[in-house]
Amino acid sequence: MGIASLPEAVEPPDEYTAAVPPALSTALSRDLGLDPAQYLRRAEAAQRLATFRAEADRSFPNTVRGIRLDGAGRPIVTLELGPSTPVVRTAAESAGFLVETGDRTTSTESFDASAEVDHPPAQPIPDPPVLGATLFRTVRDGIPRFCQTGFNATDRDGAAVAIVNNHCNRNTGSHHDPPGIVPDADTVLMLPATIDQARTAPLGAPIGTLLIAPADSGVDYALLRIDDAAAPRFRNNLVAVRGTAPIAIDGITDPVIGAPICKSGVLTGFTCGTITSVDTEYADNGATVTGSIATGVHAVSGEGGAPLISGTKAVGIASSKFLARQASAEVQLYFEPIRKILEAEPGLTLRTTSDSADPSAISS
């Protein structure tokens, strides 16, 4: 049994790099020193690495120790020494990857293959749309909480939903409930996006309810279930910061150490960095969270749920946990992998087209 042939690396076409909005291009230059073509090229290399890893694990288990991009963006496969090593080495080198062997420590990730989807044609979307990284608030018992959307999706019934962070629920510990209050679904209000909306609902109009993940899911996510009247505003696959051009999400990819990634936050906008580790554990309010992505992306408190992308692929949403480094202003930001969320919610499907009754999409 061999490893299936992989698509060869190609230079991003001009029309593809043109899809990178100016605000994201600025963040790439500022945070990573990359231009759009370099960013997309590295993101594509990371996606090819993830696909190779999954193919190798199926055909030759326990041969690939890890995969990563180095500081120069070169794709590297680290192999265990064993009888299958020569075959996998040949396949990796044929795919254009550098190969290491030995005891070098890389990562402990165990993810499935990254998804490959065709780039959908641009389609018109309703005005005003609700994109990934849009500010909203939840209200229960008259007490509000501000959050931001991650990615737009559909649930098992085909209803419009948005993937957000679990902390958007007012019952997660940031507010104290009066005795006897039973947790229930929070009402979701979308802040005004136009003058007419501000006139009719200055504090925001109700658009749906917040549904938190089951307590035993072990996954940090929640869903905004959108009312039918507001659903057309969420029928898009776009991520942006208000006032900037959006980027279209056309699939998902698994995290790879060293891969370039960017998050879109309502407070800090587009900021970029690299993945520093995967399948990471950290403590949060006495509980151990597993399977997370650790990054060097800059963010501030209040940006939990921010969408994380690599190239034009969804990678995850920001968890609410930040680790400040004492010696600098840097923070380490953890993300919940998007594939982990999709697997935890059967039938949940990420939108990869805009304004379509039957979106081309990818799910777990």
Side-chain angles (χ1 to χ4, degrees):
M1 180 181 294
I3 300 176
S5 60
L6 298 171
E8 295 184 0
V10 296
E11 284 293 311
D14 291 341
E15 61 270 21
Y16 191 34
T17 57
V20 175
L24 179 54
S25 179
T26 298
L28 288 167
S29 176
R30 179 192 64 227
D31 299 337
L32 291 175
L34 300 178
D35 60 32
Q38 292 171 321
Y39 165 62
L40 293 171
R41 187 163 53 247
R42 292 191 185 193
E44 186 266 347
Q47 293 155 21
R48 293 177 66 246
L49 273 175
T51 301
F52 179 87
R53 172 67 184 270
E55 291 282 351
D57 285 349
R58 282 193 289 268
S59 299
F60 303 101
N62 304 317
T63 302
V64 176
R65 173 185 286 268
I67 53 176
R68 74 184 196 281
L69 296 185
D70 67 8
R74 298 178 299 179
I76 297 175
V77 177
T78 304
L79 302 178
E80 299 280 10
L81 295 176
S84 299
T85 302
V87 177
V88 179
R89 172 187 287 275
T90 298
E93 291 175 343
S94 297
F97 304 141
L98 299 179
V99 177
E100 297 177 335
T101 56
D103 297 328
R104 180 182 180 88
T105 300
T106 54
S107 68
T108 58
E109 76 277 29
S110 57
F111 295 92
D112 293 332
S114 64
E116 298 291 339
V117 295
D118 295 331
H119 302 305
Q123 298 184 37
I125 57 178
D127 183 29
V130 177
L131 314 183
T134 295
L135 189 67
F136 69 94
R137 63 179 184 147
T138 59
V139 178
R140 191 168 68 83
D141 301 328
I143 301 176
R145 186 166 195 176
F146 289 93
C147 286
Q148 70 172 82
T149 59
F151 297 101
N152 290 334
T154 57
D155 66 10
R156 69 176 72 191
D157 299 320
V161 297
I163 302 171
V164 301
N165 187 282
N166 193 41
H167 82 282
C168 295
N169 174 43
R170 200 174 63 76
N171 292 296
T172 56
S174 293
H175 298 276
H176 296 286
D177 292 321
I181 293 295
V182 178
D184 58 7
D186 293 11
T187 298
V188 177
L189 301 175
M190 188 58 60
L191 299 181
T194 66
I195 294 177
D196 286 341
Q197 288 179 4
R199 287 171 179 164
T200 57
L203 299 180
I207 60 165
T209 55
L210 179 71
L211 305 177
I212 62 173
D216 60 353
S217 71
V219 186
D220 183 9
Y221 79 100
L223 298 179
L224 301 187
R225 180 181 287 276
I226 310 303
D227 295 339
D228 290 343
R233 299 178 62 192
F234 288 80
R235 291 181 184 143
N236 67 79
N237 60 327
L238 306 177
V239 167
V241 179
R242 180 176 289 191
T244 67
I247 185 166
I249 303 303
D250 57 16
I252 68 173
T253 189
D254 295 319
V256 172
I257 291 174
I261 36 90
C262 295
K263 79 99 185 68
S264 179
V266 295
L267 299 175
T268 57
F270 283 116
T271 57
C272 303
T274 58
I275 293 174
T276 56
S277 66
V278 298
D279 199 21
T280 304
E281 294 185 1
Y282 66 89
D284 187 12
N285 294 326
T288 300
V289 180
T290 63
S292 296
I293 308 166
T295 75
V297 172
H298 173 69
V300 296
S301 182
E303 292 188 324
L308 182 73
I309 63 174
S310 184
T312 54
K313 302 288 190 288
V315 180
I317 61 170
S319 298
S320 55
K321 184 68 176 180
F322 299 83
L323 291 183
R325 297 176 182 167
Q326 299 296 323
S328 70
E330 295 181 42
V331 295
Q332 182 152 351
L333 178 58
Y334 292 105
F335 287 82
E336 195 78 342
I338 191 66
R339 190 183 298 277
K340 184 178 172 186
I341 295 172
L342 296 178
E343 292 174 347
E345 188 76 25
L348 181 63
T349 302
L350 195 73
R351 289 201 65 99
T352 56
T353 61
S354 289
D355 197 22
S356 171
D358 182 21
S360 171
I362 180 166
S363 60
S364 60

